[in-house]
Amino acid sequence: MSKGLAMRFFINMTCWVSMMGIICSQNGARAQSQPATAVPESSKDHLDRLQVYRTRVLDPQARPDERRNWAEALLQETLRVQSPQSKTMVVELLNPPHHMDARRAICEAIASAAGPQSDRLDSSFVGPLVELLGADLVEVRAAASRALAEFPGVEVPDKLAELAANTTAPMIQRQAAIDALAPNVYRREVVMQLLELLDVGTPDIIGRVLSTLEPASMEPIGPDVGKWRTWWAERSRMNSEEWNSYQVRTYRDRFRTIKIETDLEREKSKRAQSDLGTRLRDFQRELFRVLPADQREARMVEWLADAQDDVKLTALAIVKGRIADEGKRPEGDVLAAMLKLLKQGSPPMRREVLSILQNLNDAAIARTVLAHLEEETDPGVREALFRAVSKLNITEAIPVLIREIGSAESPPSAVREAAAALGRLAVQPGAAERSREALGSLRERYRATAQTDVALRAGLLSAMAGIGDPSCVDEFLEGVESEEATLIRPAIQGLQSIGNSVRLGRIRRHTSHGDPLVRIAAIEAVAQLGREDADIESLLARVNPGVEANELAREAAWRGFRGLLRHRPLRERIRAVAMLRDVPDREVEYLMELAEGLSSAENAAELEIVRDRLSGLLVAQGKFGDAVPHLRELYLVRTKRNDPTALDCGLRLLDATLHTSGFSNSPELLKQLSSAAGSDEYVIIRIVETVAQYLDSPEMVADSTRTRAALTELRTVPSNQFGQSWRQLLQRVQTRLENENANSTKPP
């Protein structure tokens, strides 16, 4: 905030507070102060204290705030006791030869310590304060002005007005006198005195007066003296009540304006501070990046002990980044410095440290976090601790969590986090029995929690679901029927944990819920509790990416779909492959899983069906290499039993082999196929056509090197096996290669 705006804000707020004091009393008088304490003038304790105050105020080594505190103590003693010695000491300290720092401190003490006791201010203070209005230092003049503004009655304002009008007095002293009148501009007599000063004719005085009068008016009048006189002519006819009401409205409007200006300045300051913090963090990160490795740990420890929170927070951010990017966990002195922050840092700092520690699976850290849980009192940090103990799987924290849940003093947010942590810890080995001790508190708190507090009810349900006790079935059944996603999910998990399928139909409908977390919970529950065709169909729908956008939900549905089918007879499992027609990738995956699980001895027929369907899908998807082993097995099995479809299977194998390894593995297969074809001209033509389609494919035409290598392999096959059509194919390919070579060597 600018200095000018700050001064205006101070002056106007002083006027506002003072004005409120007048309005609250019917006659405009100040509130009556308490009677002074009667202390004998010769009281040794009193006199000793005065000497201590004097020594401290005059101490040349004292800091400004310390000097101010001792000055205020002296003023309070003076206002309370009202002894001649204390008044004399105040006057003495306001006068030379004492240094200006001491005199300024006394002025500031009068301005701040008087308050409702201003009627106890002694008139002997006025003379020295007026003299200080002419001090060389602007801070001293301002402090004296504020002190003089605290004196009640009309005597001091009259004296100030007289000084301001005195043309022989120094100008800075006259202007300071006007500044001393400014905080009392709500008083009619002060306004009149200021208006009379407009007749002085000195531009500096007139300008100061007009600036001082500005807060007294609701409308901006500006530097026109005539307009101010007209304004006062109208206001002077007001009675006391009307004038007070006018001033209240004036200062209310002024307060609003200044508040807006202050808020704007505050936002500007915040932005500037944020920009500065960003540059500092960038510089700190860059510095750490270029530091030699052997200096990094020492510098990190130094930053973690820095007095500035921004420096510590950036250091913690660097630690977090190194864990994520490099797998570099904090250890040694760095870890010790972080654990020290966990005990001594500010609440935001402790929460940030916990956000790192909760992801470090370390027994020593777990013990430290557990010990701190017993000591921590800040609500926000305790909630962070609850999250940390659950992530670190600290089951020893369960009794603390149970106490938090059962405590009537615990805020709802803390109970929610404690319940969520308990729900996650309850499923850990050996934790179930201890967790059941919380069931009574959980159910009681759940029933006592308002329906509108969905977050807390959801946390409590999560804890009950984690414990998985049948006694909570009513709460789970109620939650499944809710319209709130945050309640539905833990309710479904609860029914799943106790194996209750009473509301399975409702759960099945939740597999298409708008919230992905609810869908995942419902899918997992259907996969565990379901057995009907409707359950399989509901999961199948969520396997399709065109239906289910969430990848985690699709994976859960896929696991559930396969899990439910495992309970079905083998023939049904094979028929279910047809259900996956819209998701061919899953169809292939499922067929592969079936193929791996079937024995060729015990399930030969089923395995042949699976391989036939699988190889066809793989070829259609261009996965020839994956298809070859299955086609080879099919070909061998069918050839062995003289199956009429063996030759067709062999042609499919030839095509897949060609696309996989070219002709390096094909000659032997061609010989087998030729032998199987015998003199069947139709079969021979099909074999030749299969080879021709491959040689004429775009990828082979574009790659003469591969084509030439293929041609070399093909010539190892006796030409008499496939007759004239085979020789013609080889010649055609040879001619194509020669033409391509001639065209490439022809001069442009």
Side-chain angles (χ1 to χ4, degrees):
M1 190 186 297
S2 66
K3 188 174 181 180
L5 181 58
M7 179 61 73
R8 286 179 58 201
F9 184 75
F10 173 80
I11 292 173
N12 283 277
M13 284 302 298
T14 303
C15 298
W16 170 257
V17 173
S18 301
M19 189 64 200
M20 289 300 98
I22 286 183
I23 300 305
C24 291
S25 56
Q26 293 296 321
N27 58 4
R30 293 178 181 269
Q32 294 297 316
S33 58
Q34 297 297 318
T37 304
V39 176
E41 294 182 10
S42 60
S43 168
K44 186 176 185 305
D45 289 344
H46 173 59
L47 297 178
D48 288 345
R49 283 196 299 273
L50 292 180
Q51 287 305 315
V52 171
Y53 299 151
R54 183 181 187 280
T55 301
R56 297 296 190 182
V57 170
L58 294 175
D59 183 0
Q61 303 300 320
R63 297 197 311 269
D65 57 330
E66 292 176 339
R67 194 188 314 280
R68 167 77 175 270
N69 290 338
W70 286 109
E72 287 186 359
L74 171 60
L75 253 294
Q76 291 290 0
E77 180 96 359
T78 301
L79 296 175
R80 181 175 62 85
V81 175
Q82 293 286 308
S83 71
Q85 293 91 336
S86 61
K87 296 175 184 178
T88 300
M89 184 171 290
V90 172
V91 173
E92 176 205 344
L93 293 173
L94 284 170
N95 281 305
H98 301 307
H99 54 76
M100 278 298 180
D101 288 342
R103 298 161 76 184
R104 176 185 173 185
I106 296 296
C107 292
E108 291 173 341
I110 293 173
S112 64
Q117 304 179 83
S118 59
D119 57 343
R120 297 184 189 169
L121 292 172
D122 197 86
S123 59
S124 62
F125 303 164
V126 176
L129 289 171
V130 171
E131 288 299 319
L132 285 173
L133 293 178
D136 292 335
L137 294 174
V138 64
E139 294 84 1
V140 176
R141 295 199 300 273
S145 296
R146 293 195 297 272
L148 286 166
E150 289 298 319
F151 284 80
V154 297
E155 292 81 1
V156 172
D158 287 345
K159 190 174 185 65
L160 292 170
E162 181 182 347
L163 174 59
N166 185 358
T167 56
T168 64
M171 180 57 67
I172 59 172
Q173 190 176 24
R174 296 172 66 189
Q175 290 177 328
I178 296 172
D179 292 342
L181 289 170
N184 292 308
V185 74
Y186 63 88
R187 293 164 58 178
R188 294 163 68 99
E189 63 271 19
V190 171
V191 173
M192 291 177 63
Q193 289 165 337
L194 289 169
L195 288 168
E196 289 172 1
L197 288 173
L198 295 175
D199 296 330
V200 172
T202 306
D204 288 343
I205 295 297
I206 292 174
R208 198 71 155 223
V209 167
L210 293 177
S211 177
T212 302
L213 282 170
E214 184 183 353
S217 171
M218 289 181 65
E219 60 273 11
I221 297 177
D224 191 319
V225 174
K227 288 184 178 179
W228 276 106
R229 295 190 190 282
T230 301
W231 170 81
W232 178 245
E234 297 174 359
R235 302 298 174 273
S236 62
R237 293 192 292 271
M238 290 181 174
N239 59 34
S240 179
E241 184 177 348
E242 291 170 338
W243 171 258
N244 288 342
S245 177
Y246 177 78
Q247 287 298 293
V248 168
R249 294 196 304 275
T250 299
Y251 283 100
R252 180 191 60 200
D253 292 345
R254 290 281 176 179
F255 177 79
R256 289 174 179 169
T257 300
I258 293 172
K259 185 178 184 303
I260 291 172
E261 294 175 352
T262 305
D263 289 343
L264 290 174
E265 288 292 332
R266 186 180 291 113
E267 287 302 316
K268 182 179 178 182
S269 176
K270 283 182 179 178
R271 287 194 297 272
Q273 185 177 3
S274 176
D275 291 343
L276 180 61
T278 300
R279 290 197 294 273
L280 174 63
R281 288 191 291 273
D282 291 345
F283 172 77
Q284 193 174 340
R285 286 191 173 95
E286 182 62 22
L287 175 60
F288 188 81
R289 188 183 68 81
V290 300
L291 275 176
D294 59 348
Q295 297 180 22
R296 288 186 167 189
E297 182 172 338
R299 183 56 61 91
M300 183 63 69
V301 171
E302 177 186 328
W303 285 342
L304 290 170
D306 196 275
Q308 295 294 324
D309 276 4
D310 279 347
V311 175
K312 291 196 283 276
L313 287 171
T314 303
L316 291 172
I318 293 173
V319 170
K320 192 179 293 186
R322 297 187 77 194
I323 294 173
D325 300 336
E326 308 169 26
K328 175 64 176 175
R329 293 160 55 100
E331 54 189 15
D333 292 341
V334 174
L335 180 58
M338 291 175 60
L339 295 177
K340 185 176 180 180
L341 278 179
L342 183 60
K343 293 184 177 181
Q344 300 177 4
S346 63
M349 200 67 58
R350 302 203 294 275
R351 291 197 297 271
E352 188 64 20
V353 171
L354 283 168
S355 73
I356 298 173
L357 296 181
Q358 69 185 13
N359 295 309
L360 305 179
N361 189 14
D362 183 276
I365 291 175
R367 287 194 298 271
T368 302
V369 170
L370 180 61
H372 192 65
L373 179 59
E374 297 284 359
E375 304 167 0
E376 184 59 64
T377 57
D378 182 83
V381 180
R382 283 187 66 77
E383 292 172 25
L385 279 164
F386 296 150
R387 291 190 291 271
V389 297
S390 69
K391 285 197 170 186
L392 291 168
N393 295 326
I394 308 175
T395 55
E396 292 83 359
I398 288 176
V400 180
L401 300 175
I402 294 174
R403 287 200 302 272
E404 192 79 26
I405 294 167
S407 173
E409 288 75 29
S410 297
S413 58
V415 174
R416 182 177 66 247
E417 291 295 343
L422 179 61
R424 288 190 287 268
L425 290 176
V427 299
Q428 297 300 317
E433 202 58 42
R434 277 185 291 179
S435 301
R436 285 194 178 91
E437 297 176 12
L439 285 172
S441 298
L442 287 168
R443 298 185 67 193
E444 182 179 347
R445 191 80 183 236
Y446 185 82
R447 288 192 294 269
T449 301
Q451 296 277 349
T452 53
D453 195 347
V454 177
L456 178 53
R457 290 169 66 84
L460 296 167
L461 265 183
S462 296
M464 288 186 258
I467 297 171
D469 192 277
S471 65
C472 302
V473 65
D474 291 340
E475 286 80 7
F476 297 149
L477 292 174
E478 176 189 313
V480 166
E481 300 296 336
S482 172
E483 297 299 323
E484 297 287 348
T486 51
L487 290 175
I488 298 172
R489 184 189 178 206
I492 291 174
Q493 292 169 334
L495 290 175
Q496 181 183 353
S497 68
I498 63 176
N500 188 301
S501 59
V502 171
R503 292 287 191 275
L504 187 56
R506 179 69 170 171
I507 295 174
R508 200 183 297 134
R509 289 194 292 276
H510 283 318
T511 59
S512 59
H513 194 279
D515 188 301
L517 294 178
V518 172
R519 294 202 301 276
I520 292 171
I523 287 168
E524 291 175 345
V526 169
Q528 178 178 321
L529 302 175
R531 290 293 182 272
E532 305 297 326
D533 289 347
D535 300 316
I536 295 176
E537 291 168 4
S538 68
L539 295 179
L540 177 64
R542 311 319 299 181
V543 171
N544 193 335
V547 176
E548 177 54 69
N550 186 278
E551 183 179 358
L552 294 177
R554 291 199 304 273
E555 290 297 326
W558 179 234
R559 288 193 303 271
F561 175 80
R562 286 150 52 212
L564 288 182
L565 284 176
R566 287 193 192 101
H567 300 290
R568 299 297 181 94
L570 181 56
R571 287 286 178 172
E572 284 191 37
R573 291 162 62 190
I574 294 174
R575 283 197 297 271
V577 174
M579 301 170 68
L580 294 166
R581 190 173 292 109
D582 294 334
V583 277
D585 287 344
R586 293 301 193 188
E587 187 177 7
V588 167
E589 184 180 347
Y590 186 62
L591 285 167
M592 282 186 168
E593 185 178 304
L594 282 175
E596 291 172 2
L598 295 176
S599 166
S600 57
E602 299 176 5
N603 311 109
E606 290 84 358
L607 181 57
E608 188 173 338
I609 294 171
V610 169
R611 279 179 170 158
D612 191 55
R613 179 67 182 273
L614 176 58
S615 60
L617 283 171
L618 290 170
V619 168
Q621 294 178 14
K623 299 176 181 177
F624 299 102
D626 293 335
V628 166
H630 300 288
L631 286 169
R632 184 180 294 114
E633 291 295 329
L634 283 173
Y635 178 63
L636 292 175
V637 168
R638 292 177 180 179
T639 300
K640 188 175 182 179
R641 70 168 184 256
N642 295 320
D643 192 308
T645 63
L647 187 59
D648 185 66
C649 184
L651 290 171
R652 290 165 58 198
L653 174 59
L654 174 62
D655 181 64
T657 302
L658 289 170
H659 281 86
T660 302
S661 56
F663 288 92
S664 60
N665 296 320
S666 301
E668 187 62 33
L669 178 59
L670 283 168
K671 293 174 184 177
Q672 294 176 15
L673 291 173
S674 172
S675 176
S679 59
D680 191 330
E681 188 68 24
Y682 172 72
V683 174
I684 291 173
I685 291 174
R686 287 187 62 191
I687 294 172
V688 174
E689 286 178 346
T690 300
V691 175
Q693 285 176 359
Y694 175 69
L695 289 171
D696 292 336
S697 64
E699 61 267 25
M700 291 299 289
V701 171
D703 192 339
S704 58
T705 301
R706 284 179 61 193
T707 304
R708 193 172 288 107
L711 196 59
T712 301
E713 293 288 343
L714 287 175
R715 284 182 175 140
T716 64
V717 179
S719 59
N720 61 353
Q721 286 186 306
F722 297 107
Q724 185 64 25
S725 59
W726 180 258
R727 288 188 290 274
Q728 290 175 348
L729 170 63
L730 298 183
Q731 183 58 48
R732 180 168 61 81
V733 174
Q734 178 65 42
T735 302
R736 187 177 78 198
L737 289 172
E738 291 172 352
N739 291 337
E740 288 176 359
N741 185 55
N743 290 332
S744 64
T745 58
K746 187 182 296 184

